[in-house]
Amino acid sequence: MPKHSKVTQREHSSEHVTESVADLLAHQEPVDYKRSVLNVTGETWDRQKDVEEELDSEKRPAWNSKLQYILAQIGYSVGLGNVWRFPYLCQKNGGGAYLVPYLVLLIIIGLPLFFLELAVGQRIRRGSIGVWNYICPRLGGIGYASCLVCFFVGLYYNVIIGWSIFYFFKSFQYPLPWSECPIVKNGTVAVVEAECEKTSATTYFWYREALEISSSISESGGLNWKMTLCLLTAWSVVGLAVIKGIQSSGKVMYFSSLFPYVVLLCFLVRGLLLRGAIDGILHMLTPKLDKMLDPQVWREAATQVFFALGLGFGGVIAFSSYNKQDNNCQFDAALVSFINFFTSILATLVVFAVLGFKANIMNEKCVVENTEKILGYLNSHVLSHDLIPPHVNFSHLTAQDYSEMYRVIMTVKEDHFKELGLDACLLEDELNKSVQGTGLAFIAFTEAMTHFPASPFWSVMFFLMLINLGLGSMMGTMAGITTPIIDTFKVRKEVFTVVCCIVAFLIGLLFVQHSGNYFVTMFDDYSATLPLIVVVILENIAVAWIYGTKKFMQELTEMLGFRPYIFYFYTWKYISPLCMAVLMTASIIQLGVNPPGYSAWIREEAAEKYLYYPAWAMAILICLIILASLPLPVVFILRQFHLVSDGSNALSVSYKKGRIMKDISNLEDNDETRFILSKVPSETPSPMPTHRSYLGPGNASPMEMSAAVNGRYGSGYHLASTPESEL
């Protein structure tokens, strides 16, 4: 240390130093040297007991068991996207060929970043705001941005739960209300509803009976009272679960996390027994290898990996913050990532089995309708009976017979074939029809279930599964909001949760208008994608490049008791940031190439039509992206130019059980008040380490790393470079 530094001057001065750290410590209980490296008495110290005592003294809630915690993380990461988004992407992007880029990107992006969030939450034991304030105060906006994105996602995600609640209660009747088109009276004549006749019963029920949808986003149409009540129910359930806390919600996770697997397995067994199910599964597993070279496939796979694990929302960090310090979060990251992938595959098998059955039903319907057309042409002598193969029996016509007859007619009547209006009725065409999101759950699946024996039972099970999946994800989303706010501002959990749910419900009325489905699409497509990618990139940079990968790996080594795999070192430092930067660039290009729009249901045509957002809707869309990203530059500017205090010149010292505790999350690197005891005395490095520290790929010596063993969390006594120490 320089001779003229303040600390050296105070050491050689006889003047009394007012409010010095030494004076503060002099009036407190002495340090427990049994736990210090200066211990020469030979008495042993139980580190595990000490850690548990510290956690008890903090009075932070904790999971009742490891299983409860794992189920909570699974319930959060495994959501509706696994059931309806992943199968759609698999169908769209080459079937089995899509699994290869997805698995590769899961390993090099998903797993490392998921482990990173688990590790920082467990190490710092705070929500997303506290964690990133602690690691890098200037990037403290990461936590606030995560909270805003969680709020935006929670707004529309609970609406989907409300839709599932509506269908759940409608399932307790036979026949199911969406199995047949409604009959309306036109004077004395009863006719089928015209809109339903042009489409299908399930499509009509979804758009007209459930959503009561308008023809564009500009036509609000007022509130849909049925969906308003369902939304109120959904927010009431979520609010009660959050108020009860992690112990209570953790117990709920035993049911909400495991029940979907029971339902999926039941659907898989039932689906495999359906006629045509094998056709659907073979269609899924047949790889279209040319798709693997398409950059768009890799971009969509990366986006799905990103959202499947819930990265950047803060829910992963919040759940992990309630863990014990020595919990093996490296194993947890691998386990939850694998289960997430397994669930996506299981759901895809179920979806393709059911869609294979539905495709066969629709193909048979197509054959019957077109056969009737051919019989009409034969009776009116438009077609000659000589065109019909002799073995064809119209009373027992198979798909193969129709296909042969279709080819003959197309060959002979080549010039006038289009005028006949005949369809090929190919099973492959039905299987290639891409259905995603709400279309898969509330149209395709519901239509398939109308053909199931005991259809109300399967419908109840399916929508109860969707409710459970949604609630599991909402628990993590709400934890991403409540945990950091409560940790940072010390507000009462019950009051904040009630206020948050009431505000969210009132804003959520936007989604239960007659045009509400279009706003759900807008929020789903644009409120989270780009801001979350930016958040996760900054998380990665904050840990790997600002805090330091070697430093972070050393802390993990001390926390876990073993060295994490070297794989994480390279992915955190190089591979993941690069891949995320490419993904962000591709997302921005995609946004620029394809103008934002939505699929509107046109009542007169009984069909969907792609419309572009009007100017005012574009303004809302842009505001969503800006608002979600705004905390990042605002917090950085405020703290960079010292417009608000980040605590860099203040040292908070507290004492627990004779131990010196400190909070130096916001200290400047050159702050001389760093030369005090660390938060955990066991982390104090001795001049000769008792175990080999993690040195990283560079193989730096322990002495070279001693100046930054634990970063902002402190590293016990630092070796000061004073003239005396140089002798």
Side-chain angles (χ1 to χ4, degrees):
M1 184 179 297
K3 291 184 178 180
H4 300 292
S5 70
K6 293 179 181 180
V7 174
T8 307
Q9 288 175 1
R10 289 178 180 179
E11 286 180 356
H12 296 285
S13 173
S14 60
E15 294 181 15
H16 177 70
V17 181
T18 304
E19 296 181 354
S20 68
V21 174
D23 290 334
L24 289 171
L25 301 183
H27 294 88
Q28 304 302 323
E29 297 178 17
V31 178
D32 188 351
Y33 291 103
K34 184 186 299 184
R35 310 171 195 177
S36 169
V37 294
L38 301 178
N39 174 22
V40 293
T41 63
E43 298 182 57
T44 59
W45 166 54
D46 189 342
R47 174 185 174 89
Q48 177 63 29
K49 182 178 179 181
D50 179 73
V51 170
E52 291 177 358
E53 287 179 356
E54 179 184 333
L55 300 187
D56 291 341
S57 66
E58 290 182 2
K59 296 182 180 179
R60 186 171 184 80
W63 298 104
N64 290 335
S65 67
K66 179 66 174 284
L67 176 61
Q68 191 181 93
Y69 162 69
I70 293 295
L71 289 178
Q73 287 286 15
I74 292 172
Y76 173 54
S77 65
V78 175
L80 298 175
N82 297 77
V83 174
W84 64 33
R85 178 70 177 165
F86 185 91
Y88 159 72
L89 291 175
C90 188
Q91 180 185 25
K92 174 186 174 185
N93 295 319
Y98 172 75
L99 300 180
V100 176
Y102 183 85
L103 190 56
V104 169
L105 293 169
L106 177 66
I107 294 173
I108 65 174
I109 293 181
L111 179 58
L113 295 178
F114 191 64
F115 178 33
L116 184 145
E117 290 201 356
L118 290 179
V120 295
Q122 182 173 311
R123 174 70 178 89
I124 302 173
R125 297 180 60 75
R126 290 293 180 269
S128 56
I129 294 177
V131 160
W132 302 113
N133 276 341
Y134 201 92
I135 289 178
C136 180
R138 288 175 178 79
L139 292 181
I142 293 175
Y144 294 98
S146 294
C147 287
L148 275 176
V149 171
C150 277
F151 185 70
F152 290 155
V153 171
L155 286 176
Y156 74 84
Y157 206 89
N158 232 15
V159 175
I160 300 174
I161 297 176
W163 294 342
S164 301
I165 291 173
F166 174 78
Y167 268 79
F168 173 75
F169 284 108
K170 285 289 184 179
S171 299
F172 289 95
Q173 50 187 299
Y174 184 83
L176 291 171
W178 51 83
S179 60
E180 296 177 353
C181 285
I183 304 297
V184 294
K185 288 188 176 181
N186 186 7
T188 58
V189 180
V191 296
V192 176
E193 172 66 45
E195 184 182 1
C196 184
E197 192 174 20
K198 293 178 183 177
T199 175
S200 67
T202 50
T203 304
Y204 173 83
F205 185 87
W206 166 241
Y207 285 117
R208 193 57 50 215
E209 298 292 335
L211 298 182
E212 299 178 6
I213 200 165
S214 61
S215 296
S216 74
I217 195 172
S218 301
E219 304 172 20
S220 68
L223 292 178
N224 179 346
W225 67 268
K226 294 177 290 187
M227 289 305 171
T228 303
L229 291 177
C230 291
L231 180 63
L232 179 61
T233 303
W235 275 115
S236 300
V237 173
V238 169
L240 289 173
V242 174
I243 289 173
K244 289 293 184 180
I246 64 166
Q247 285 87 359
S248 183
S249 62
K251 294 174 183 176
V252 173
M253 290 298 175
Y254 284 112
F255 175 78
S256 64
S257 297
L258 296 177
F259 179 74
Y261 291 97
V262 175
V263 176
L264 285 174
L265 288 173
C266 289
F267 263 97
L268 180 61
V269 173
R270 184 68 188 89
L272 291 175
L273 297 177
L274 295 172
R275 177 171 46 86
I278 300 301
D279 295 327
I281 292 177
L282 289 176
H283 179 76
M284 166 201 164
L285 297 177
T286 303
K288 300 173 184 175
L289 299 179
D290 57 308
K291 287 280 190 179
M292 291 181 61
L293 303 177
D294 186 355
Q296 179 71 4
V297 174
W298 287 81
R299 187 190 72 82
E300 292 188 345
T303 305
Q304 178 62 17
V305 166
F306 182 79
F307 287 103
L309 294 173
L311 300 173
F313 286 94
V316 173
I317 294 176
F319 280 163
S320 183
S321 71
Y322 300 115
N323 268 332
K324 295 181 179 180
Q325 283 277 326
D326 61 346
N327 174 64
N328 187 352
C329 54
Q330 178 179 258
F331 172 78
D332 297 344
L335 178 64
V336 174
S337 298
F338 169 76
I339 292 177
N340 190 291
F341 179 66
F342 167 77
T343 307
S344 298
I345 298 297
L346 176 62
T348 303
L349 288 173
V350 172
V351 167
F352 274 85
V354 173
L355 291 183
F357 167 69
K358 177 177 177 289
N360 273 268
I361 295 292
M362 298 305 294
N363 194 57
E364 289 178 1
K365 183 179 179 182
C366 176
V367 168
V368 171
E369 291 176 352
N370 283 272
T371 301
E372 291 177 353
K373 287 183 181 180
I374 293 174
L375 285 173
Y377 293 141
L378 291 173
N379 294 333
S380 60
H381 304 291
V382 175
L383 294 177
S384 170
H385 286 274
D386 296 334
L387 298 178
I388 308 302
H391 65 276
V392 171
N393 183 356
F394 280 98
S395 60
H396 297 88
L397 191 68
T398 64
Q400 290 77 10
D401 292 339
Y402 173 79
S403 180
E404 184 179 351
M405 187 167 54
Y406 176 86
R407 286 195 299 270
V408 171
I409 295 174
M410 183 174 62
T411 303
V412 175
K413 295 287 186 178
E414 184 176 359
D415 296 335
H416 306 285
F417 181 74
K418 289 184 179 180
E419 298 174 4
L420 298 177
L422 298 177
D423 294 323
C425 295
L426 297 177
L427 183 63
E428 189 72 14
D429 293 340
E430 289 291 337
L431 290 171
N432 282 329
K433 290 181 179 178
S434 299
V435 183
Q436 67 162 321
T438 54
L440 175 63
F442 299 105
I443 297 177
F445 238 89
T446 51
E447 184 170 348
M449 284 186 294
T450 58
H451 301 285
F452 283 17
S455 55
F457 168 77
W458 294 104
S459 183
V460 167
M461 294 283 283
F462 177 72
F463 288 109
L464 186 58
M465 178 191 72
L466 290 187
I467 293 170
N468 274 275
L469 286 172
L471 289 176
S473 296
M474 274 302 296
M475 292 299 100
T477 302
M478 289 298 293
I481 301 172
T482 58
T483 300
I485 296 295
I486 292 169
D487 285 347
T488 304
F489 300 104
K490 309 301 180 186
V491 296
R492 284 194 61 186
K493 180 178 184 179
E494 294 79 6
V495 175
F496 176 73
T497 302
V498 170
V499 171
C500 186
C501 289
I502 291 175
V503 171
F505 170 72
L506 293 176
I507 298 176
L509 295 178
L510 176 72
F511 304 105
V512 290
Q513 302 176 96
H514 294 291
S515 60
N517 186 47
Y518 307 136
F519 287 98
V520 170
T521 302
M522 176 194 291
F523 273 66
D524 188 29
D525 290 341
Y526 301 106
S527 69
T529 306
L530 198 57
L532 271 186
I533 294 174
V534 175
V535 163
V536 175
I537 290 176
L538 291 178
E539 285 182 0
N540 201 165
I541 292 173
V543 171
W545 290 94
I546 298 177
Y547 194 80
T549 312
K550 289 184 180 180
K551 192 186 304 182
F552 187 59
M553 291 289 276
Q554 166 63 16
E555 289 197 355
L556 291 186
T557 301
E558 295 176 355
M559 181 178 76
L560 302 176
F562 61 88
R563 242 181 289 171
Y565 296 125
I566 194 68
F567 161 78
Y568 292 110
F569 182 95
Y570 289 106
T571 50
W572 285 337
K573 196 168 183 68
Y574 304 110
I575 300 174
S576 294
L578 179 62
C579 291
M580 294 300 296
V582 171
L583 175 59
M584 183 178 69
T585 304
S587 299
I588 294 174
I589 293 174
Q590 182 75 10
L591 192 61
V593 171
N594 297 327
Y598 63 101
S599 293
W601 179 257
I602 309 301
R603 182 169 192 165
E604 293 74 18
E605 302 174 10
E608 288 185 339
K609 183 179 180 181
Y610 190 81
L611 302 177
Y612 294 114
Y613 287 113
W616 62 267
M618 284 294 296
I620 294 177
L621 187 153
I622 294 171
C623 287
L624 283 175
I625 298 175
I626 293 176
L627 186 59
S629 307
L630 194 60
L632 299 169
V634 168
V635 173
F636 180 84
I637 292 172
L638 291 176
R639 290 180 174 169
Q640 176 67 25
F641 295 100
H642 306 292
L643 299 178
V644 295
S645 173
D646 61 0
S648 59
N649 296 319
L651 183 64
S652 172
V653 182
S654 61
Y655 312 94
K656 295 182 181 180
K657 300 182 181 180
R659 298 178 55 198
I660 304 169
M661 314 291 290
K662 70 171 184 172
D663 177 10
I664 60 170
S665 60
N666 297 323
L667 291 180
E668 299 292 348
D669 292 339
N670 59 352
D671 197 327
E672 292 174 340
T673 55
R674 282 180 173 273
F675 296 93
I676 70 166
L677 291 172
S678 72
K679 180 176 179 180
V680 182
S682 64
E683 294 173 358
T684 305
S686 63
M688 297 299 293
T690 57
H691 64 277
R692 183 180 182 274
S693 301
Y694 178 81
L695 303 179
N699 292 326
S701 69
M703 293 305 292
E704 291 172 342
M705 293 185 60
S706 64
V709 178
N710 286 331
R712 291 192 179 276
Y713 258 119
S715 55
Y717 294 103
H718 287 251
L719 298 177
S721 176
T722 63
E724 291 79 9
S725 66
E726 293 171 357
L727 296 176

